[in-house]
Amino acid sequence: MSYSGSNKKLVLITGAANGIGLATAKKLATTGHDLFIVDKDETEITKAVTELTALGATVKSLVLDLSDSENIMPSLDKALGDAHVDQLINNAGVGFARNVESTTFAEWDLTIDVNLKATFIMCKYFVPKMISSGGGEIVNVASAASIIGLKNRVAYCASKAGVAGLTRAICVDHAAEGIRINAIAPGTVDSTWIAKILADAPDPVATRKMMEARQLDGKMGTPEEVANGIAFLLSPEGRFVNGSLFVMDAGLTAA
Ligand SMILES: NC(=O)c1ccc[n+]([C@@H]2O[C@H](COP(=O)([O-])OP(=O)(O)OC[C@H]3O[C@@H](n4cnc5c(N)ncnc54)[C@H](O)[C@@H]3O)[C@@H](O)[C@H]2O)c1
């Protein structure tokens, strides 16, 4: 049992107020899940709760800044009470357009703290609980940047390669105890994140074209397409997939 009185699986999604996280929450709301969504943005998470509730989901939320490492576990203890999380999606992420020389220590630390350290802390918190209840499924949102170097994304590439390694290591340690953990590696996805990058670009049209051309069909992915991949990895149909870096990038990393 997840939430008291519910026989649905309870899934916790970080960074669920926008983009891939919100699309995934919407998808899972229609596939027999209760939702616990986490984000640092209070206004956006409130809107997300309204949208998800309108879809008929039982949804609870927690405003939490995942860069505040020490605060993650105490906040989860307080917010979850006796609810049992069956499935976990570590999706929240940040990135800066910097090379090795221009990346500041603060940007490096924030990128590693949100993208990699928070993923580690969430797994550290939930894996033992999942094992003691017979197992569970985890998806960590990595990136094509886990596999290839992207220009001017030094800290981001390092963090996302780390997410892929962390995922494999947890799989090797805990697969036999019922943990199924995968990372997903999207190519460029037309989310709130990309909209912000384009808004700040000197030539948004040219930048969009460049981003689209990275995919071999010349199009970005959608948050909903990535949500479908995550839903598959969490589902019984994904049973044979464990420890993988599941690539969804229209050939970006195949080229
Ligand atoms: N959009 C892409 O092209 C793309 C490609 C590959 C991987 N990804 C990954 O997908 C994930 C989601 O990206 P998106 O494109 O949907 O981004 P987005 O910016 O649209 O959404 C990210 C969400 O994470 C939240 N967030 C950011 N920092 C946080 C923090 N410190 N604590 C709590 N919440 C925080 C934001 O408030 C936001 O709601 C990220 O991990 C990103 O690296 C995105």
Side-chain angles (χ1 to χ4, degrees):
M1 194 161 299
S2 307
Y3 286 138
S4 162
S6 170
N7 57 6
K8 294 182 174 178
K9 279 194 187 289
L10 175 57
V11 60
L12 187 153
I13 310 172
T14 70
N18 284 293
I20 293 168
L22 179 57
T24 303
K26 287 181 179 168
K27 169 84 186 174
L28 295 177
T30 65
T31 56
H33 287 79
D34 290 330
L35 306 169
F36 189 95
I37 62 171
V38 175
D39 206 284
K40 68 169 185 177
D41 188 326
E42 189 165 5
T43 311
E44 292 291 302
I45 206 171
T46 305
K47 279 198 253 168
V49 169
T50 307
E51 280 188 60
L52 293 163
T53 306
L55 293 174
T58 300
V59 49
K60 293 185 183 168
S61 64
L62 171 64
V63 177
L64 176 64
D65 184 344
L66 291 161
S67 69
D68 186 0
S69 308
E70 300 296 325
N71 191 32
I72 295 176
M73 288 194 187
S75 296
L76 291 171
D77 277 341
K78 203 169 151 196
L80 283 167
D82 61 0
H84 173 72
V85 169
D86 302 288
Q87 300 186 320
L88 167 66
I89 303 168
N90 289 303
N91 164 75
V94 292
F96 297 94
R98 301 272 193 271
N99 64 20
V100 70
E101 189 185 0
S102 59
T103 300
T104 66
F105 284 3
E107 288 163 347
W108 174 269
D109 287 346
L110 181 61
T111 310
I112 299 297
D113 284 353
V114 177
N115 297 4
L116 182 55
K117 189 171 179 185
T119 300
F120 156 69
I121 294 169
M122 296 294 282
C123 290
K124 185 173 171 63
Y125 185 84
F126 284 110
V127 165
K129 295 181 194 302
M130 287 176 175
I131 290 172
S132 62
S133 68
E137 292 78 32
I138 301 172
V139 175
N140 295 328
V141 180
S143 167
S146 304
I147 305 167
I148 57 169
L150 296 178
K151 209 162 169 44
N152 284 324
R153 290 286 186 280
V154 157
Y156 185 75
C157 289
S159 71
K160 292 297 187 177
V163 169
L166 173 70
T167 303
R168 286 189 284 266
I170 294 173
C171 170
V172 168
D173 286 338
H174 298 297
E177 296 166 295
I179 297 297
R180 206 157 59 69
I181 178 167
N182 290 286
I184 194 161
T188 319
V189 179
D190 206 353
S191 67
T192 340
W193 176 315
I194 297 295
K196 280 183 200 147
I197 292 176
L198 291 176
D200 292 344
D203 184 344
V205 175
T207 306
R208 172 173 271 279
K209 275 198 180 132
M210 179 276 289
M211 286 181 158
E212 287 172 343
R214 295 201 290 222
Q215 285 65 231
L216 299 188
D217 64 356
K219 292 182 209 151
M220 291 191 204
T222 64
E224 291 73 25
E225 285 170 322
V226 181
N228 288 338
I230 294 172
F232 164 71
L233 291 171
L234 292 178
S235 74
E237 286 76 20
R239 185 204 66 83
F240 205 44
V241 191
N242 205 353
S244 79
L245 182 59
F246 188 85
V247 178
M248 291 186 88
D249 70 352
L252 186 157
T253 54

